[in-house]
């Protein structure tokens, strides 16, 4: 099957080249008409794109027998239709083909009908975000919790050849489809277990746990759509996963997940979510916030219920649910944990675009948090300005001294920080080769400040700048 799909050119790169930017852009908006126009030639890649991606009938004779025998398509009356969606996956960073995701057919807005309760979704924006967040370091032992159709496991198998992969889900159909995804993706020997949260792997430890969990906060008492809702109250699923992660991680092991969390009146969201962390370094990032009405509208669109007779009733139920919980907003974001004996925790909001894939530098982010928490100018360590820093000076034209100095990261998290003369001076001279003390003395002499005053200022501001990634501590000898 893998040879058939690859030999037909049915990869992300092949489909992208076939559709071109206009049809490809429209398809990203769930508009298929331009893509239908671009795939009328009858070549193998056009047939597979129409059959599996656009989900329209094709000529029966154009579909290989292997696809019918595998239960992916059926023939009837001279036509062939897809029974499942087979979607190629691009390796994170766009550097090749990762494999295939086999899922239920997409339910598109305006096409009629809503997903089944046990609908298994394919690759999408959320799974792509998580794949780009996951650490790039090869690991030996991986858990994909709530695997769905197996997207994360396919990515991880390509990144860590030979790794032992365990994939879990509450939905037996999801596990069946994950197995179908693994076969043409070359994922061999994966362990598939049914169960909720960490129950199926009780007593075991992993180098890496990844999860695109059922994080949607929904009003129903039980899960209505198992791919997105757990049936647990509020944001309890994400809370319980974060609270329990350390007990299932090897020393230095990572747990990374996407999450939603509630903003409850009178309680800072950072305080609520921070209380979940136990036994791990933690980097928790809020990427977006929606008010209760926006949130209800988003997920009613996701299940294609906008415009249906039930829409208003379900909308009201969602708002009533949030009113009872005192919810003022719902946050969307990333959670990265790393098991540690001396945890450092950062909870923040980053709305701007950052360098992708984040997983390429996640370990350095956590290293910076830990280093910043322990740093002082008397620790005897050298300091280096992070690569890619630029300095901006703001002031009146011709003025001798700037009114404001800003250090800006041109890559990675692209942070900006207003700094003083001491920090700006250090950024210009420290390269990890000289001890910090003489550099601070030189800055004191140049600025006319007392050396003790410069050291005190550095002790006050450098830990935060190190945690933010503006300065790094070279490895100890």
């Amino acid at each position: 099957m893998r040879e058939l799909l690859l030999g037909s050119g049915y990869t992300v790169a092949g489909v992208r080249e076939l559709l071109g930017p206009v049809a490809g852009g429209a398809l990203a908006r769930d508009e298929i008409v331009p893509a239908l126009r671009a795939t009328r030639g009858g070549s193998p890649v056009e047939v597979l794109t129409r059959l599996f991606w656009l989900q329209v009938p094709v000529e029966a004779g154009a579909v290989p027998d292997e696809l019918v025998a595998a239960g992916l398509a059926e023939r009837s009356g001279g036509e062939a239709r897809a029974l499942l969606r087979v979607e190629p996956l691009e390796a994170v960073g766009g550097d090749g083909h990762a494999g295939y995701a086999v899922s239920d057919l997409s339910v598109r807005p305006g096409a009629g009908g809503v997903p089944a309760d046990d609908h298994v979704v394919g690759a999408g924006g959320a799974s792509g975000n998580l794949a780009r967040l996951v650490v790039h370091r090869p690991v030996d032992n991986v858990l994909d919790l709530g695997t769905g159709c197996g997207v994360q496991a396919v990515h991880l198998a390509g990144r860590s050849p030979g790794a032992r992969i365990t994939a879990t889900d509450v939905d037996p159909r999801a596990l069946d489809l994950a197995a179908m995804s693994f076969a043409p993706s070359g994922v061999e020997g994966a362990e598939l277990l049914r169960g909720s949260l960490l129950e199926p792997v009780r007593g075991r430890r992993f180098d890496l746990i990844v999860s695109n969990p059922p994080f949607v906060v929904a009003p129903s008492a039980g899960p209505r759509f198992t791919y997105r809702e757990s049936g647990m109250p509020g944001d309890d699923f994400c809370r319980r996963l974060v609270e329990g992660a350390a007990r299932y991680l090897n020393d230095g092991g990572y747990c990374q997940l996407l999450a939603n969390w509630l903003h409850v009146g009178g309680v800072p969201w950072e305080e609520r979510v921070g209380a979940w962390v136990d036994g791990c370094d933690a980097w928790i990032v809020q990427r977006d916030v929606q008010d209760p009405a926006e949130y209800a509208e988003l997920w009613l669109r996701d299940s294609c219920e906008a415009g249906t007779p039930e829409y208003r009733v379900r909308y009201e139920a969602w708002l009533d649910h949030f009113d009872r919980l005192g919810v003022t907003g719902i946050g969307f974001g990333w959670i990265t944990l790393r098991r540690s004996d001396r945890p450092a925790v950062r909870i923040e909001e980053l709305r701007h675009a950052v360098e992708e894939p984040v997983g390429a530098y996640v370990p350095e982010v956590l290293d910076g948090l830990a280093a910043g928490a322990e740093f002082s100018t008397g620790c005897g360590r050298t300091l280096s300005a992070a690569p890619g820093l630029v300095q901006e000076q703001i002031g009146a034209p011709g003025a001798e001294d700037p009114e404001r100095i800003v250090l800006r990261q041109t890559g990675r998290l692209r942070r900006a920080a207003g700094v003083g003369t001491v920090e700006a001076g250090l950024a210009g001279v420290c390269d990890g080769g000289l001890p910090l003390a003489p550099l601070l003395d030189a800055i004191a002499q140049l600025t006319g400040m007392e050396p003790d005053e410069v050291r005190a200022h550095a002790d006050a501001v450098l830990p935060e700048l190190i945690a933010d990634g503006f300065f790094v501590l070279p490895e100890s000898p």
Side-chain angles (χ1 to χ4, degrees):
M1 184 67 66
R2 180 166 60 252
E3 292 174 0
L4 186 155
L5 296 172
L6 290 174
S8 299
Y10 189 57
T11 63
V12 172
V15 174
R16 185 181 291 133
E17 182 180 358
L18 169 67
L19 296 183
V22 174
L27 192 58
R29 302 188 298 273
D30 266 332
E31 296 288 348
I32 69 169
V33 173
L36 289 172
R37 292 168 59 85
T39 56
R40 295 182 292 196
S43 68
V45 67
E46 288 171 304
V47 169
L48 294 180
T49 301
R50 291 173 76 89
L51 181 69
F52 289 129
W53 206 318
L54 306 184
Q55 298 177 188
V56 297
V58 299
E59 183 183 343
V63 175
D65 292 339
E66 293 92 334
L67 300 180
V68 177
L72 300 175
E74 65 177 359
R75 297 189 182 103
S76 177
E79 290 184 335
R81 296 175 180 273
L83 295 175
L84 294 168
R85 181 178 178 86
V86 181
E87 184 175 356
L89 300 175
E90 189 172 39
V92 172
D95 55 355
H97 174 73
Y100 293 93
V102 180
S103 64
D104 282 323
L105 298 175
S106 299
V107 180
R108 290 196 171 97
V114 299
D117 292 353
D118 61 352
H119 181 80
V120 179
V121 297
S127 61
N129 287 338
L130 180 59
R132 291 189 293 273
L133 175 67
V134 171
V135 291
H136 281 200
R137 295 179 178 179
V139 291
D140 294 327
N141 194 0
V142 177
L143 170 63
D144 180 8
L145 189 154
T147 190
C149 71
V151 172
Q152 301 306 319
V154 169
H155 281 295
L156 289 166
R159 191 177 300 156
S160 298
R164 300 185 302 278
I165 294 177
T166 299
T168 68
D169 207 287
V170 296
D171 182 0
R173 287 199 70 254
L175 295 176
D176 289 343
L177 292 180
M180 293 183 73
S181 298
F182 296 163
S185 302
V187 180
E188 298 179 352
E191 178 185 31
L192 294 161
L193 301 175
R194 185 183 179 190
S196 180
L197 275 167
L198 292 156
E199 294 167 3
V201 293
R202 189 180 300 276
R204 295 169 58 180
R205 292 183 183 271
F206 299 88
D207 298 326
L208 174 63
I209 299 172
V210 299
S211 184
N212 181 12
F215 54 66
V216 176
V217 182
S220 56
R224 184 160 171 256
F225 300 110
T226 55
Y227 72 87
R228 73 183 197 188
E229 300 162 17
S230 69
M232 296 182 186
D235 48 21
D236 271 12
F237 189 97
C238 294
R239 175 185 62 79
R240 291 174 61 182
L241 176 53
V242 171
E243 287 178 344
R247 298 192 299 274
Y248 292 82
L249 292 173
N250 292 320
D251 291 340
Y254 288 83
C255 174
Q256 295 184 276
L257 63 145
L258 304 183
N260 282 186
W261 43 76
L262 298 179
H263 290 219
V264 180
V267 182
W269 74 269
E270 299 93 337
E271 184 178 310
R272 279 194 77 250
V273 180
W276 301 351
V277 179
D278 182 28
C280 290
D281 294 327
W283 182 40
I284 300 173
V285 180
Q286 182 164 271
R287 296 290 282 163
D288 193 16
V289 182
Q290 290 188 337
D291 65 42
E294 290 176 305
Y295 192 81
E297 293 161 14
L298 169 67
W299 295 112
L300 287 168
R301 285 194 303 271
D302 174 77
S303 53
C304 298
E305 294 178 275
T308 66
E310 296 82 13
Y311 179 75
R312 182 171 177 177
V313 173
R314 297 199 187 284
Y315 199 153
E316 291 266 13
W318 228 302
L319 297 182
D320 288 343
H321 180 65
F322 288 142
D323 283 345
R324 286 192 297 270
L325 296 176
V327 173
T328 59
I330 303 90
F332 295 69
W334 316 322
I335 297 179
T336 292
L337 309 171
R338 182 173 66 184
R339 186 174 175 182
S340 172
D341 294 330
R342 303 174 68 180
V345 178
R346 163 65 67 85
I347 304 171
E348 62 181 328
E349 185 167 48
L350 293 175
R351 298 287 194 99
H352 60 266
V354 300
E355 184 179 352
E356 298 282 6
V358 180
Y361 54 90
V362 155
E364 286 77 12
V365 172
L366 293 181
D367 289 345
L369 297 180
E374 300 177 359
F375 177 80
S376 72
T377 57
C379 68
R381 299 287 301 277
T382 59
L383 197 67
S384 178
L389 284 187
V390 296
Q391 179 176 305
E392 300 173 359
Q393 297 189 173
I394 302 169
E400 185 175 345
D401 297 316
E403 295 175 7
R404 188 171 179 230
I405 303 173
V406 175
L407 292 180
R408 190 178 300 278
Q409 299 167 353
T410 58
R412 297 197 169 184
L413 295 178
R414 296 176 178 145
R415 300 185 192 272
V419 297
T421 306
V422 173
E423 307 94 285
L426 281 174
V429 298
C430 66
D431 58 5
L434 292 174
L436 187 57
L439 293 178
L440 293 174
D441 289 341
I443 289 173
Q445 185 174 6
L446 288 171
T447 59
M449 300 170 65
E450 292 295 327
D452 289 345
E453 181 184 359
V454 171
R455 285 192 177 86
H457 180 77
D459 276 325
V461 301
L462 286 179
E464 185 74 10
L465 291 172
I466 292 168
D468 282 347
F470 290 93
F471 293 91
V472 296
L473 298 179
E475 292 292 333
S476 299

